Amino acid sequence: MASILGSSSTAILASRSLVSPSSKLAIPSISISAGQSSGRKFYGGIGIQGRKGRPQFQFAVTNVATEINTVEQAQKADAKESQRPVFPFAAIVGQDEMKLCLLLNVIDPKIGGVMIMGDRGTGKSTTVRSLVDLLPEIRVVFGDPYNSDPEDPESMGIEVREKVTQGDELTVVMTKINMLDLPLGATEDRVCGTIDIEKALTEGVKAFEPGLLAKANRGILYVDEVNLLDDHLVDVLLDSAASGWNTVEREGISISHPARFILIGSGNPEEGELRPQLLDRFGMHAQVGTVRDAELRVKIVEERARFDKNPKEFRDSYKAEQEKLQEQISSARKTLSSVQIDHDLKVKISKVCAELNVDGLRGDIVTNRAAKALAALKGRDKVTAEDIATVIPNCLRHRLRKDPLESIDSGLLVIEKFYEVFS
C-alpha cells in the first residue's frame, strides 16, 4: 500500500508539472488507473521500467482541445456582455473641438494623434473612451500579435512578412480597431515587451513576449494624465511615434516590430506642461474649457444621471445617432484618398507656418491631412479655405512654444495670421 501511494503521488505531481494554468495550448487530460503489469511499458510516449508483480499506473491520454476552445469562447462571450458600459459619443454635450479632433484622427490615423488639455471634470477621459463604439473594422492577419495588415508591408510583423515572401497564404479576419490604456505606473518592459520567462524556463528557448506597443499597432494608445508620465516612458513613446517601429533589446533578444498607433493624451495644465519635443509628436491639440452656460450644464447633469440610472436604456436611445456617425466615419475613410487640395491652398498653409516661425514641416503636413479628413467627413472631394480655417489652430498652436516655461497659445495668433494670409 505504501508503494502504491508513493507511486500515485509521484504520477500526480508529474501530470501537474505538464499543465500550465495560463497556457492556451491543447493539453492532454490524463486519467490514472491501477493494475498489475510487468516489463517495460510506454505511457504517453515515455518508457517506464516496471517491476514484476508490482502494481503499475496506466495512463489514458485524450485530447481536450475542443473542450478548451469551447470554454474560451464562452468566457469571451461572457466578458463581452459584462463589459463596463461606455457613455455614447453622440450624447456628449459641447466640447466640439475635442470631438472633431478625435474623429479626424480616426478617419486618417496618419494625422498623428491628439493632445487634449483642459480643466478637471470636463469629460476628457469620458469622450476619448466613448470613441470605442465608433471605431471601424480593419483587416488583420489571424493570430498575429501585432495586428499585421495583410496588404501593407510597413504594418507587418517579421513572421508575417516572411510568410508573404515565401508565398504562403495568410488567414485574414476583420476586427475592430482596438484602444489600449497606458497606465502611469506601467513599467518599460510591459510597454515595450520583454523575454518570455515561461518559455525560457519550460522550453529553454529565448522568446519575445509582446508589450502594449505591439498590441496598439494600427490601433489607439490612450495616456490619461500624460503630463505626469515618467520621462523614460515618454522617451519610448517618442521613439515609437517618430519611427512607427519599436525595437527591443533584452537579455540577448533583438527584435523590431511595427508600432503605428494613434497617440491620444489628456491632462490638466495645472499639473504641468509637456516637453515641447513630445508636444510636437501630437498631430493636433485640443483645448477643453468648463461649460459656462447654465442651461448646458443642467443638460449635462441630467444626461449623466440618466446614464447612471440605466446605462443600457440610455445607450439604446442614442443608437440611431451612433450608427449614423459610424456610417459617416466609414464613408469618409473610403473617400479620403480621392479628396484633393489646390496647390494655392497648400502654398498659403505653408506661408502661415513660415510666418509663425513653426519649427520643422510637421505643421504643414498635419494641416493638409486634417483639412482633407474634414472635407471627407463632410462628404466633399475638395478642400475649401473654410476647412483649413477650422483645423489650422488645432494643428499649429502647440508648435509655437519655444520655451518650455511658456504656456500654449490659445489659437488666436494662428487665426489672425490665417486671415492675414488667406485674405
Side-chain angles (χ1 to χ4, degrees), residues 312-354:
K312 188 177 183 305
E313 184 182 315
F314 183 79
R315 284 172 58 84
D316 288 342
S317 67
Y318 280 94
K319 192 174 182 180
E321 291 181 50
Q322 291 278 96
E323 288 175 354
K324 186 181 176 183
L325 258 177
Q326 277 181 313
E327 288 173 9
Q328 271 186 289
I329 292 169
S330 181
S331 175
R333 282 171 66 97
K334 290 175 184 174
T335 59
L336 179 64
S337 57
S338 62
V339 176
Q340 301 295 321
I341 180 168
D342 290 339
H343 180 72
D344 290 344
L345 294 179
K346 290 180 182 178
V347 171
K348 287 180 178 179
I349 289 170
S350 293
K351 190 175 180 183
V352 171
C353 294

Side-chain angles (χ1 to χ4, degrees), residues 50-123:
R51 293 184 181 179
K52 191 172 182 180
R54 290 283 182 91
Q56 299 294 321
F57 288 87
Q58 297 175 352
F59 297 81
V61 181
T62 58
N63 196 313
V64 293
T66 309
E67 287 84 345
I68 290 174
N69 288 336
T70 307
V71 170
E72 281 190 354
Q73 287 171 2
Q75 286 175 345
K76 284 180 181 177
D78 292 341
K80 193 173 182 180
E81 288 178 7
S82 61
Q83 278 179 350
R84 186 174 59 181
V86 180
F87 198 85
F89 189 86
I92 292 168
V93 179
Q95 314 299 13
D96 295 329
E97 182 180 309
M98 171 172 56
K99 291 193 287 187
L100 179 63
C101 290
L102 291 171
L103 290 177
L104 295 182
N105 272 275
V106 173
I107 292 168
D108 186 1
K110 290 183 179 179
I111 287 173
V114 56
M115 176 67 200
I116 304 166
M117 294 296 276
D119 305 331
R120 49 190 177 272
T122 49

Side-chain angles (χ1 to χ4, degrees), residues 49-347:
Q49 181 68 44
R51 293 184 181 179
K52 191 172 182 180
R54 290 283 182 91
Q56 299 294 321
F57 288 87
Q58 297 175 352
F59 297 81
V61 181
T62 58
N63 196 313
V64 293
T66 309
E67 287 84 345
I68 290 174
N69 288 336
T70 307
V71 170
E72 281 190 354
Q73 287 171 2
Q75 286 175 345
K76 284 180 181 177
D78 292 341
K80 193 173 182 180
E81 288 178 7
S82 61
Q83 278 179 350
R84 186 174 59 181
V86 180
F87 198 85
F89 189 86
I92 292 168
V93 179
Q95 314 299 13
D96 295 329
E97 182 180 309
M98 171 172 56
K99 291 193 287 187
L100 179 63
C101 290
L102 291 171
L103 290 177
L104 295 182
N105 272 275
V106 173
I107 292 168
D108 186 1
K110 290 183 179 179
I111 287 173
V114 56
M115 176 67 200
I116 304 166
M117 294 296 276
D119 305 331
R120 49 190 177 272
T122 49
K124 299 184 295 291
S125 303
T126 302
T127 307
V128 173
R129 293 194 172 100
S130 69
L131 200 62
V132 172
D133 291 334
L134 303 179
L135 297 177
E137 290 189 334
I138 54 173
R139 299 174 79 241
V140 300
V141 178
F142 178 73
D144 183 69
Y146 310 117
N147 299 319
S148 293
D149 187 338
E151 296 171 355
D152 182 13
E154 284 296 315
S155 299
M156 286 182 187
I158 296 172
E159 292 179 5
V160 174
R161 194 177 293 186
E162 286 175 357
K163 287 181 181 178
V164 172
T165 307
Q166 294 167 5
D168 295 346
E169 189 177 345
L170 300 175
T171 306
V172 180
V173 295
M174 296 294 291
T175 182
K176 278 196 107 177
I177 292 176
N178 60 332
M179 179 185 284
L180 293 174
D181 280 280
L182 176 62
L184 294 178
T187 62
E188 190 175 341
D189 284 352
R190 183 70 189 99
V191 175
C192 297
T194 185
I195 190 170
D196 191 330
I197 300 297
E198 188 176 346
K199 274 195 176 181
L201 294 176
T202 57
E203 300 175 22
V205 295
K206 291 178 181 177
F208 178 65
E209 184 179 347
L212 289 175
L213 292 181
K215 293 177 183 176
N217 186 40
R218 302 180 68 207
I220 295 174
L221 186 65
Y222 175 49
V223 190
D224 195 9
E225 306 296 347
V226 65
N227 45 346
L228 301 180
L229 197 64
D230 287 341
D231 278 348
H232 70 283
L233 289 182
V234 170
D235 295 335
V236 167
L237 289 179
L238 277 173
D239 186 42
S240 296
S243 63
W245 284 79
N246 176 40
T247 303
V248 181
E249 301 285 348
R250 292 280 190 283
E251 289 86 18
I253 288 179
S254 178
I255 190 168
S256 293
H257 65 79
R260 296 180 179 274
F261 48 82
I262 302 171
L263 183 61
I264 299 178
S266 64
N268 185 351
E270 292 178 1
E271 294 166 345
E273 293 282 1
L274 281 175
R275 286 157 42 188
Q277 292 89 343
L278 182 58
L279 264 178
D280 191 55
R281 302 293 185 191
F282 287 98
M284 303 182 79
H285 182 279
Q287 283 189 340
V288 183
T290 304
V291 177
R292 301 298 176 192
D293 185 6
E295 290 292 334
L296 275 180
R297 291 171 76 107
V298 170
K299 187 178 180 183
I300 293 168
V301 172
E302 288 176 346
E303 294 284 85
R304 185 71 214 188
R306 277 179 59 206
F307 176 75
D308 290 340
K309 185 178 180 181
N310 193 334
K312 188 177 183 305
E313 184 182 315
F314 183 79
R315 284 172 58 84
D316 288 342
S317 67
Y318 280 94
K319 192 174 182 180
E321 291 181 50
Q322 291 278 96
E323 288 175 354
K324 186 181 176 183
L325 258 177
Q326 277 181 313
E327 288 173 9
Q328 271 186 289
I329 292 169
S330 181
S331 175
R333 282 171 66 97
K334 290 175 184 174
T335 59
L336 179 64
S337 57
S338 62
V339 176
Q340 301 295 321
I341 180 168
D342 290 339
H343 180 72
D344 290 344
L345 294 179
K346 290 180 182 178
V347 171

Side-chain angles (χ1 to χ4, degrees), residues 5-30:
L5 289 173
S7 301
S8 65
S9 60
T10 305
I12 291 167
L13 284 172
S15 67
R16 281 180 180 171
S17 68
L18 294 171
V19 181
S20 169
S22 62
S23 176
K24 294 183 180 178
L25 299 174
I27 302 172
S29 62
I30 303 175

